[in-house]
Amino acid sequence: MIKGVIFDLDGVLVSTDKLHYLAWKRLAQDLGITDFTEQDNARQRGVSRMASLQVVLEKSNHSYTDQEKIDFAERKNQYYVELLESLTEKAILPNAAETIVLLRKKNIQIAVGSVSKNAPAILQRTGLLPLIDKVGCGLDIIRSKPDPEVFLIAAKKLGQNPKNCLVVEDSEAGIQAAKAAEMKSLALGPEKENPLADYHAVSLADPSINWDMIIAS
Ligand code: BG6
Ligand code: MG
């Protein structure tokens, strides 16, 4: 029986992929990397800021010190935060807010489980925050997905047993984290990208999602 649903944020509730891409691309250009593409950006989905930086630096011939890498990640975040200033409720993905409202009516508790340190600001800017019971985010954790830490923290904040929680995710690292947390999972996107998930849908607007069946599982 599902009593809590933990939503990933980026790519599940809110469309931020493009903004992450633009910020990483700007950093890549600063470093003389001209061939950073949206395909590279897809590999950054769901993983930590430092792991995402590694995807950019794979395209560089230079080797950088740990301090330089920390500075680069901070610089990318400044670029990203600048872009987030223009974020509004228009960035909420189709049927995301409606899904949360529907689940709340079914007495399901709602959490966000995101490795982003910007998650609270994104929820605030998009107006989603009042719909969420608890937020687990990058500020709460030491280990990023695929480690289950962020989902276990979200379940603990909800006061729910992980076995009674469902994770909604768009990334492979996130589905692996849900499995490691012993939670059920609904993967959004092409089914072949996340064969490990218990349920699949194209997006939260997919009419094939049977919430009553999922909740009863
Ligand atoms: C995840 C995104 O939600 O958050 C990743 O999918 C991102 O692409 C990660 O790297 C960390 O986000 P932030 O905002 O703390 O840099
Ligand atoms: Mg995501």
Side-chain angles (χ1 to χ4, degrees):
M1 183 80 187
I2 298 299
K3 297 179 178 169
V5 174
I6 305 173
F7 289 92
D8 173 47
L9 181 64
D10 295 306
V12 169
L13 296 179
V14 176
S15 169
T16 48
D17 256 17
K18 186 83 188 176
L19 303 185
H20 274 297
Y21 169 65
L22 291 172
W24 282 121
K25 181 133 186 103
R26 187 170 166 196
L27 177 77
Q29 277 163 347
D30 291 350
L31 303 181
I33 300 163
T34 52
D35 60 346
F36 180 75
T37 63
E38 294 199 54
Q39 279 75 22
D40 297 319
N41 179 235
R43 287 173 50 219
Q44 297 171 314
R45 202 177 291 155
V47 299
S48 71
R49 197 180 297 171
M50 290 308 285
S52 296
L53 173 67
Q54 221 30 60
V55 175
V56 177
L57 295 184
E58 275 172 19
K59 302 223 144 182
S60 168
N61 302 322
H62 291 73
S63 64
Y64 292 102
T65 64
D66 287 349
Q67 188 55 51
E68 283 172 318
K69 290 179 188 174
I70 291 166
D71 293 346
F72 292 157
E74 177 54 32
R75 198 194 308 179
K76 178 269 174 178
N77 191 54
Q78 283 169 14
Y79 295 157
Y80 181 58
V81 168
E82 273 174 35
L83 293 168
L84 287 180
E85 279 170 24
S86 62
L87 204 73
T88 67
E89 75 280 355
K90 289 193 184 123
I92 298 174
L93 284 162
N95 213 38
E98 293 83 349
T99 299
I100 295 173
V101 170
L102 176 94
L103 291 171
R104 292 180 72 93
K105 281 194 188 136
K106 294 177 188 289
N107 291 322
I108 300 294
Q109 287 193 298
I110 306 295
V112 159
S114 166
V115 298
S116 172
K117 294 187 168 83
N118 293 296
I122 292 169
L123 289 167
Q124 184 79 49
R125 291 207 69 93
T126 53
L128 283 171
L129 197 56
L131 294 178
I132 312 289
D133 295 307
K134 298 289 173 191
V135 178
C137 74
L139 302 169
D140 298 315
I141 56 169
I142 297 166
R143 295 172 299 276
S144 275
K145 300 168 189 175
D147 190 282
E149 188 178 14
V150 76
F151 292 143
L152 292 172
I153 284 176
K156 195 167 181 193
K157 286 188 182 187
L158 289 179
Q160 293 294 348
N161 185 321
K163 289 196 164 75
N164 295 123
C165 292
L166 172 90
V167 164
V168 186
E169 258 294 347
D170 68 324
S171 74
E172 191 182 353
I175 294 295
Q176 287 170 350
K179 288 275 148 197
E182 297 191 55
M183 296 177 181
K184 294 253 167 49
S185 56
L186 165 61
L188 303 183
E191 184 164 345
K192 62 177 177 356
E193 280 184 14
N194 278 305
L196 283 180
D198 297 290
Y199 308 104
H200 296 88
V202 175
S203 72
L204 287 172
D206 188 334
S208 75
I209 304 177
N210 184 340
W211 284 111
D212 289 330
M213 184 270 287
I214 291 174
I215 289 167
S217 66

